[in-house]
Amino acid sequence: MLSGQNVYTLLKTAENFLKSNGLSNSKSDAEVLLSFVLQIKRSSLPLLRDKKPTDKQISQYKDYVLKRSKREPAAYITGFAGFMGLEFKVDKNVLIPRPETELLVELALKIADEKDKKFVLDLCTGSGCIAVSMANLGKFEYLVASDISVNALAIAKENAQINNAFSIKFIESDIFEKITDNKFDMIVSNPPYITESEYAALDPDLKFEPKNALTAQDEGLFFYKKIASNTLKYLNDSGYILIELNSNKVRDIRQIFVDNKYVDIEIINDYSGLPRILKAQRP
Ligand code: GLN
């Protein structure tokens, strides 16, 4: 039925279809999926508005739009997500990199540069988006990235290759369990932090993501407690920790770091004004 349509009309049809299925970013989704099918940059779509995709491309597009209408995230359909201006491979074994996590990377790069911090540990690396973008964009001597999931680490390693981040050592480890190097200048992490009740209320899109990358026991505080109580052992004097926050639990999380004797604890808001990163220093 869509045979013979051009880029413009296909986009409109898909956008309206997605919107009628309740998707809030229907225009962006329609564009991301069509540019993926046509193997062009999304920014080139307006220039190609009169182009007529082949029947094969149209049928592929229909298939992808239908998947998206059933809430499969566009990043899983295309297999790629953008983060810090780089491309990351993603699949259902890893969380899709979020724009708010870019703030953590920006802060980490700034501290590393200003304070000459060269040795970094990224815990719960998932797709590797934090460690890989730090390696690609900064000047580090040594980065270690760990995750409990072998499948996630396989993706993270591919992402390191795709983005020329050759300085990363990947370790399969349950938090600190297999981390043998014990002195880092900086520890960064976006750990799972969603509570079971928050999880139940999430958009259906998020249910496609690995649940163990999102939720944490102990009212979402499990990883903060584990990390805060061990990092002092792994951090050099004056070393930093930067960790993404569950914005509903800021007071509890801050207290965990206070109790573990961290100093200069700062909470940094993301671009939508929500508390998103905790930065603290080892005394
Ligand atoms: N920020 C993610 C979300 O929006 C959660 C990531 C995490 O649990 N670390 O759901």
Side-chain angles (χ1 to χ4, degrees):
M1 179 183 101
L2 296 172
S3 179
Q5 290 210 35
N6 66 26
V7 162
Y8 178 77
T9 54
L10 277 172
L11 282 174
K12 278 288 154 211
T13 311
E15 183 186 336
N16 291 336
F17 176 70
L18 292 172
K19 198 185 278 173
S20 69
N21 277 275
L23 279 95
S24 46
N25 294 317
S26 51
K27 182 167 192 285
S28 146
D29 285 332
E31 291 179 0
V32 166
L33 295 175
L34 189 57
S35 54
F36 178 64
V37 167
L38 301 178
Q39 295 288 305
I40 57 165
K41 286 208 181 95
R42 186 174 160 195
S43 56
S44 307
L45 285 170
L47 302 169
L48 298 171
R49 48 181 283 141
D50 298 323
K51 180 186 160 75
K52 293 194 165 128
T54 64
D55 283 353
K56 187 157 169 251
Q57 288 170 325
I58 291 177
S59 115
Q60 201 177 30
Y61 188 49
K62 265 172 73 175
D63 190 35
Y64 293 164
V65 170
L66 199 60
K67 282 189 176 172
R68 182 69 195 107
S69 75
K70 295 180 181 151
R71 301 303 176 115
E72 181 164 343
Y76 287 154
I77 300 171
T78 64
F80 283 95
F83 183 79
M84 292 300 293
L86 303 169
E87 284 253 299
F88 285 84
K89 189 177 160 170
V90 291
D91 70 12
K92 287 175 187 165
N93 292 298
V94 296
L95 201 72
I96 299 165
R98 307 284 202 267
E100 55 270 28
T101 307
E102 293 185 343
L103 180 60
L104 190 154
V105 174
E106 283 161 11
L107 291 165
L109 289 171
K110 189 159 171 268
I111 296 172
D113 200 34
E114 286 171 4
K115 316 264 183 193
D116 200 30
K117 303 292 184 198
K118 303 273 185 226
F119 303 97
V120 178
L121 170 64
D122 175 20
L123 295 168
C124 312
T125 195
S127 67
C129 66
I130 296 176
V132 170
S133 45
M134 285 178 72
N136 182 289
L137 301 168
K139 293 189 213 82
F140 295 96
E141 273 173 31
Y142 189 49
L143 284 111
V144 174
S146 76
D147 203 283
I148 194 173
S149 155
V150 197
N151 293 338
L153 282 175
I155 300 280
K157 285 179 192 165
E158 275 193 65
N159 282 323
Q161 292 239 312
I162 296 170
N163 292 296
N164 303 317
F166 302 114
S167 55
I168 307 176
K169 178 171 160 192
F170 290 98
I171 300 180
E172 183 193 338
S173 173
D174 182 3
I175 321 181
F176 289 104
E177 195 190 10
K178 303 260 171 58
I179 309 292
T180 48
D181 303 281
N182 61 354
K183 288 298 171 193
F184 294 93
D185 294 329
M186 200 185 314
I187 295 178
V188 292
S189 185
N190 175 20
Y193 55 62
I194 292 175
T195 67
E196 283 298 330
S197 59
E198 287 169 341
Y199 184 78
L202 289 177
D203 274 357
D205 308 41
L206 277 91
K207 305 281 162 69
F208 282 83
E209 298 190 271
K211 187 170 182 230
N212 67 351
L214 284 167
T215 60
Q217 290 168 359
D218 198 356
E219 278 299 293
L221 300 176
F222 176 83
F223 288 88
Y224 298 109
K225 287 184 181 167
K226 265 271 195 261
I227 292 174
S229 60
N230 283 287
T231 33
L232 291 178
K233 200 159 79 207
Y234 292 89
L235 269 180
N236 287 326
D237 288 351
S238 313
Y240 286 87
I241 177 148
L242 286 163
I243 192 159
E244 188 167 314
L245 295 175
N246 177 337
S247 56
N248 300 320
K249 298 267 166 185
V250 179
R251 276 169 56 162
D252 293 332
I253 301 166
R254 179 181 232 285
Q255 194 56 47
I256 293 169
F257 283 85
V258 170
D259 293 346
N260 282 283
K261 312 273 184 270
Y262 281 84
V263 295
D264 290 335
I265 302 174
E266 266 181 67
I267 306 289
I268 297 123
N269 284 2
D270 65 20
Y271 301 107
S272 43
L274 292 173
R276 186 59 62 197
I277 311 292
L278 177 141
K279 169 182 153 192
Q281 207 172 358
R282 186 191 200 285

